């Protein structure tokens, strides 16, 4: 190629998503494979979403409302904040990118755990910033290591609570101690994509006291507990001055009108949300029991997925599971060669996963 690619961007490895269902159907000639690889919601989404979206279809010749007035006001009311504290995104991925572009000058540093959600690194590099990665300590965020890595160039710190991919968490006490050691001019991004699934009350939840610390930017998503991954809606809650910057640089129509309507309807159906959380907890309890029964070690989790240690090369197991029509995630690209990550499915899917795993491991 005769064009010169930006040096930072040349170092970006393409994002590897969970294998899509259709791809497995095509490549392995399997009908009805089961996907437990992208932490999606196995029970779908609220029927209210379906109705609201169907009704809105007739207006799709119009541009979306850029302010997403109804959704913004609904979220503001839910969290006792103002619409000026909210930034909506085409998934929370979008807001991660906006933060990197809004707050990094070339060469500025953004700290993050290693491994972590790939979008942090990709967005920071795309914004010409420098990702500084701090290895996990015993599968959990190394908060002391993050503090030790702060330099005069640090502008952003990304933390994920509960953590993807290990499922570990940060307690309130741990967060408070950590934040006291972060300088005033550093933004702490707390990605709470899985917070709805947390069962342990000691876990930090930044929206129990929203905006208490002006450095904290909370990221939430409709992709997991609400089951709207395909619609692409996420939101950030933050100090209004930070929000103002992000709203200046976002695409004016970054949340499409069906996504806005879907998110509003999803917020109106608390019964569905509770059912989705209950299904997840039942699924985790079942999987932990079954895996313990065949002597497989799992990491504790507060999310909708768990990591299991096969103590053999997990990529091979992953591939054999694919042939049986069960898609999970090998953790080798995260540096955990013997681990799989699996999210909870429906009862039937969880049973099918265990059966396939037993077959592959000859247990
Ligand atoms: C799934 C996930 C998200 C959500 O991404 P969307 O763009 O909102 O679908 C964000 N952060 C982490 C760590 C995730 O695992």
């Amino acid at each position: 190629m005769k064009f010169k690619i930006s040096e930072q961007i040349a170092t970006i490895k393409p994002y590897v998503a969970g294998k899509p269902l259709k791809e497995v159907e095509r490549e392995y000639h399997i009908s009805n494979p089961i996907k437990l690889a992208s932490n999606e919601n196995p029970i779908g989404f609220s029927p209210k979403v379906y109705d609201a979206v169907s009704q809105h279809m007739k207006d799709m010749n119009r541009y979306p409302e850029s302010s997403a007035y109804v959704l913004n006001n609904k979220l503001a009311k839910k969290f006792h904040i103002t619409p000026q504290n909210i930034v909506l995104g085409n998934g929370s991925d979008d807001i991660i990118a906006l933060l990197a572009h809004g707050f990094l000058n070339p060469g500025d540093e953004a700290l993050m755990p290693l491994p972590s959600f790939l979008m942090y690194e990709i967005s920071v590099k795309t914004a010409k910033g420098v990702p500084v990665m701090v290895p996990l300590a015993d599968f959990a965020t190394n908060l002391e290591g993050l503090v030790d890595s702060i330099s005069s160039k640090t502008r952003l710190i990304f933390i994920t609570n509960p953590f993807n991919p290990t499922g570990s968490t940060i307690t309130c006490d741990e967060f408070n101690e950590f934040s006291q050691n972060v300088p005033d001019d550093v933004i702490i991004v707390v990605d709470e994509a899985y917070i709805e699934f947390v069962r342990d009350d000691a876990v930090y939840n930044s929206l129990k006291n929203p905006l208490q610390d002006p450095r904290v930017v909370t990221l939430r998503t409709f992709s997991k507990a609400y089951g709207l991954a395909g619609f692409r809606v996420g939101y950030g809650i933050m100090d209004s001055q930070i929000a103002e910057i992000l709203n200046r640089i976002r695409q004016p129509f970054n949340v499409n009108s069906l996504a806005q309507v879907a998110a509003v309807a999803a917020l109106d159906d608390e019964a569905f949300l509770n059912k989705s959380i209950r299904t997840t907890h039942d699924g985790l309890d079942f999987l932990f029991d079954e895996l313990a029964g065949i002597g497989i070690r799992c990491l504790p989790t507060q999310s909708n997925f768990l990591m299991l240690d096969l103590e053999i090369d997990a990529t091979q197991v992953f591939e054999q599971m694919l042939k049986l029509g069960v898609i999970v995630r090998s953790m080798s690209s995260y540096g955990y060669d013997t681990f799989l990550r699996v999210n909870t499915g429906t009862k039937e899917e969880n049973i099918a996963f265990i059966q396939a795993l037993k077959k592959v491991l000859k247990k």
Side-chain angles (χ1 to χ4, degrees):
M1 188 165 78
K2 65 182 174 189
F3 310 107
K4 287 211 179 79
I5 186 171
S6 142
E7 279 168 30
Q8 270 292 71
I9 286 169
T11 68
I12 296 176
K13 293 188 217 74
Y15 181 81
V16 183
K19 222 169 163 52
L21 286 165
K22 296 274 186 247
E23 197 173 297
V24 174
E25 286 184 5
R26 278 195 303 270
E27 287 179 11
Y28 294 85
H29 308 288
I30 288 166
S31 50
N32 306 318
I34 291 170
K35 185 176 173 197
L36 303 173
S38 295
N39 306 338
E40 293 156 339
N41 194 321
I43 63 165
F45 51 80
S46 161
K48 290 188 177 174
V49 169
Y50 197 93
D51 291 346
V53 166
S54 307
Q55 284 204 7
H56 193 81
M57 281 300 287
K58 65 180 186 329
D59 301 323
M60 286 302 281
N61 57 319
R62 306 287 173 197
Y63 278 104
E65 206 171 348
S66 175
S67 68
Y69 181 88
V70 180
L71 178 55
N72 252 326
N73 278 278
K74 211 171 181 74
L75 286 169
K77 211 166 155 198
K78 178 176 163 79
F79 294 111
H80 310 289
I81 54 174
T82 74
Q84 286 72 41
N85 298 116
I86 302 171
V87 176
L88 291 169
N90 182 34
S92 45
D93 289 359
D94 192 15
I95 304 167
I96 294 167
L98 292 173
L99 283 160
H101 283 282
F103 291 96
L104 297 175
N105 280 305
D108 282 347
E109 294 171 357
L111 309 186
M112 62 193 72
L114 177 74
S116 56
F117 189 53
L118 282 168
M119 289 317 298
Y120 307 149
E121 180 186 350
I122 293 176
S123 295
V124 168
K125 285 182 172 174
T126 305
K128 311 286 194 281
V130 178
V132 175
M133 318 234 194
V134 178
L136 297 183
D138 197 18
F139 300 103
T141 308
N142 181 354
L143 293 172
E144 283 155 35
L146 285 167
V147 168
D148 291 343
S149 303
I150 294 171
S151 79
S152 60
K153 291 191 164 178
T154 307
R155 295 286 167 268
L156 296 169
I157 304 178
F158 288 98
I159 61 178
T160 320
N161 188 41
F163 192 73
N164 180 11
T166 66
S168 67
T169 49
I170 296 165
T171 65
C172 293
D173 291 345
E174 287 164 348
F175 183 83
N176 290 337
E177 194 188 330
F178 161 74
S179 66
Q180 278 166 21
N181 293 316
V182 174
D184 277 348
D185 60 353
V186 174
I187 293 175
I188 306 171
V189 184
V190 186
D191 183 343
E192 297 184 339
Y194 301 96
I195 200 84
E196 291 89 352
F197 302 113
V198 169
R199 286 191 261 193
D200 176 355
D201 288 339
V203 172
Y204 175 64
N205 177 335
S206 64
L207 296 186
K208 278 194 181 150
N209 275 310
L211 309 175
Q212 193 187 30
D213 182 336
R215 298 168 302 172
V216 172
V217 169
T218 306
L219 300 183
R220 295 277 181 104
T221 181
F222 284 94
S223 297
K224 309 282 160 52
Y226 291 95
L228 303 184
F231 282 101
R232 314 300 304 125
V233 207
Y235 55 98
I237 292 192
M238 62 200 84
D239 184 85
S240 59
Q241 290 183 39
I242 301 178
E244 195 270 326
I245 305 285
L246 302 194
N247 275 319
R248 241 192 268 174
I249 60 173
R250 72 175 169 88
Q251 290 187 21
F253 308 116
N254 62 338
V255 181
N256 73 73
S257 27
L258 291 184
Q260 292 184 26
V261 165
V264 168
L267 288 172
D268 278 333
D269 195 347
E270 208 146 311
F272 176 84
L273 178 67
N274 292 333
K275 184 176 162 195
S276 130
I277 294 168
R278 218 176 323 117
T279 306
T280 303
H281 292 166
D282 290 348
L284 286 174
D285 294 346
F286 171 81
L287 292 175
F288 269 94
D289 272 0
E290 291 288 318
L291 291 165
I294 50 174
I296 292 175
R297 180 174 80 108
C298 304
L299 301 183
T301 184
Q302 291 288 323
S303 55
N304 66 346
F305 56 82
L306 60 93
M307 260 174 62
L308 47 133
D309 187 0
L310 300 173
E311 295 172 1
I312 54 169
D313 177 19
T315 302
Q316 287 201 13
V317 177
F318 158 78
E319 277 161 13
Q320 285 176 284
M321 301 273 292
L322 265 185
K323 290 180 189 146
L324 297 174
V326 179
I327 316 171
V328 294
R329 197 78 161 247
S330 155
M331 287 288 104
S332 64
S333 64
Y334 288 82
Y336 299 120
D337 290 341
T338 63
F339 283 83
L340 293 178
R341 191 192 68 194
V342 57
N343 64 261
T344 57
T346 60
K347 201 169 179 184
E348 295 72 27
E349 289 172 332
N350 295 332
I351 292 169
F353 161 73
I354 293 290
Q355 282 174 344
L357 187 68
K358 280 183 177 169
K359 197 164 171 183
V360 170
L361 299 178
K362 304 192 171 63
K363 297 234 184 195

